Amino acid sequence: MAMSKAFLKKYKEVSSEDELTELNLSKKYIPDIDADVLNGWGQLRIVIKVENLSVEQHKKLR
């Protein structure tokens, strides 16, 4: 915790015009990024339609 507070303090000194949002990730649900998600992102990046993703990919990317 001390390191993140020190980082934020220094960052704010150097980049005072930036707006920062602090998140408490220990209290926020973060879904797994697995092969389905990575492959789905890759397919969407090369303009594959959402309808062509697997059911599992679509559910996870949603």
Side-chain angles (χ1 to χ4, degrees):
M1 200 68 157
M3 184 162 56
S4 64
K5 288 193 184 295
F7 170 81
L8 287 173
K9 180 181 178 200
K10 186 64 175 175
Y11 186 90
K12 288 174 185 177
E13 289 173 9
V14 175
S15 303
S16 60
E17 69 282 355
D18 289 353
E19 181 179 330
L20 300 177
T21 303
E22 294 183 50
L23 301 174
N24 185 340
L25 298 179
S26 65
K27 294 182 179 181
K28 188 162 182 71
Y29 171 71
I30 302 172
D32 293 331
I33 297 177
D34 60 11
D36 287 328
V37 173
L38 293 174
N39 289 331
W41 285 342
Q43 289 178 8
L44 291 175
R45 193 179 69 219
I46 58 172
V47 193
I48 292 192
K49 292 182 180 181
V50 171
E51 301 84 39
N52 294 336
L53 297 176
S54 72
V55 171
E56 199 63 25
Q57 287 173 323
H58 189 262
K59 183 172 76 174
K60 289 179 180 181
L61 290 175
R62 198 180 34 183

